[in-house]
């Protein structure tokens, strides 16, 4: 495990919140909700991005601006929703504005969702590799910052890719038993999150 991965594991804490609830709220109520979570001692709020969701970076910015210490993590920003340059630079802008408080979780989504967006869900692992290459090469005129990321990963190949190209994996909606499988594929080189069925990480 790299030093950066260790630091992020501490920053995220052992228990966080992953929920669709916040995106259903008006902005003012959502700000209060985020501040309440922070006051209760939760370190991280994971926000989803699905069809009909608030846009991930605008949503994260709203939550970060409303809080002082809460980490906001996308769980999960859809790589089909924006090109790699927009993904990389959206993350960079938030990292610059809120150092150590934004974590980009990104993933390949699911075939029905991608089809609804009018795109073809073909070779998702290969697509993710190319997407990460394009993110890493994305030009940016703002301050040079590193945007930390994790990959949504369930299967062995995507888990291994998350160990190679990110801080770790964000397996979600899986039974507890999956964590040991994920850790084995990660090779112990990166932290591994788990989102249980009740929405807590």
């Amino acid at each position: 495990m790299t030093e950066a991965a260790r630091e992020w594991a501490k920053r995220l804490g052992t228990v966080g919140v992953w929920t669709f609830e916040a995106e259903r709220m008006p902005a003012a109520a959502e700000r209060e909700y985020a501040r309440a979570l922070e006051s209760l001692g939760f370190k991280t709020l994971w926000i989803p991005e699905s069809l009909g969701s608030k846009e991930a970076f605008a949503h994260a910015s709203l939550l970060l601006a409303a809080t002082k210490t809460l980490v906001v993590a996308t769980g999960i920003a859809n790589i089909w929703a924006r090109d790699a340059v927009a993904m990389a630079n959206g993350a960079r802008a938030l990292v610059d504005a809120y150092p150590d408080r934004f974590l980009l979780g990104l993933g390949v989504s699911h075939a029905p969702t991608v089809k609804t967006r009018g795109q073809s869900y073909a070779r998702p692992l290969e697509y993710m590799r190319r997407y990460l290459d394009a993110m890493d090469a994305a030009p940016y005129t703002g301050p040079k910052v590193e945007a930390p990321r994790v990959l949504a990963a369930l299967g062995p190949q995507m888990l291994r890719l998350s160990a190679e190209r990110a801080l770790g994996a964000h397996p979600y909606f899986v039974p507890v038993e999956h964590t040991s499988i994920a850790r084995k594929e990660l090779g112990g080189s990166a932290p591994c999150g788990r989102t249980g069925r009740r929405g807590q990480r």
Side-chain angles (χ1 to χ4, degrees):
M1 186 186 299
T2 66
E3 189 59 35
R6 285 193 190 91
E7 286 300 315
W8 270 99
K10 290 178 190 173
R11 211 168 279 141
L12 296 173
T14 54
V15 178
V17 175
W18 184 98
T19 181
F20 279 98
E21 194 61 32
E23 68 179 13
R24 298 184 177 113
M25 298 175 182
E30 190 173 5
R31 291 186 190 101
E32 290 300 320
Y33 175 77
R35 286 192 282 263
L37 291 177
E38 186 175 61
S39 71
L40 289 169
F42 289 105
K43 290 187 173 182
T44 306
L45 173 59
W46 293 81
I47 55 172
E49 182 177 53
S50 59
L51 285 173
S53 290
K54 295 174 181 176
E55 193 279 330
F57 293 115
H59 192 190
S61 182
L62 183 156
L63 293 162
L64 288 161
T67 54
K68 295 179 181 177
T69 61
L70 190 71
V71 172
V72 175
T74 55
I76 302 127
N78 186 342
I79 65 174
W80 307 91
R82 60 192 61 78
D83 68 28
V85 175
M87 185 76 84
N89 293 347
R92 287 165 169 165
L94 288 180
V95 169
D96 178 39
Y98 303 97
D100 300 328
R101 292 187 54 211
F102 177 72
L103 177 65
L104 176 63
L106 65 160
V108 295
S109 189
H110 307 281
T113 301
V114 174
K115 185 177 180 182
T116 302
R117 287 182 177 276
Q119 299 175 17
S120 175
Y121 190 80
R123 298 183 176 276
L125 180 70
E126 182 180 315
Y127 186 83
M128 177 61 89
R129 286 184 189 280
R130 293 198 310 271
Y131 193 93
L132 294 174
D133 288 341
M135 281 184 69
D136 292 345
Y140 186 59
T141 57
K144 185 172 175 58
V145 293
E146 294 296 326
R149 65 190 180 205
V150 292
L151 304 186
L154 299 176
Q157 293 186 81
M158 194 67 79
L159 284 164
R160 287 194 290 271
L161 183 63
S162 71
E164 295 166 10
R165 304 290 302 275
L167 291 174
H170 175 55
Y172 55 100
F173 288 134
V174 292
V176 174
E177 294 77 16
H178 184 271
T179 301
S180 60
I181 296 167
R183 288 192 187 282
K184 181 179 178 183
E185 294 298 337
L186 288 166
S189 63
C192 170
R194 181 183 68 80
T195 302
R197 297 192 182 279
R198 292 191 181 183
Q200 288 190 327
R201 183 180 180 281

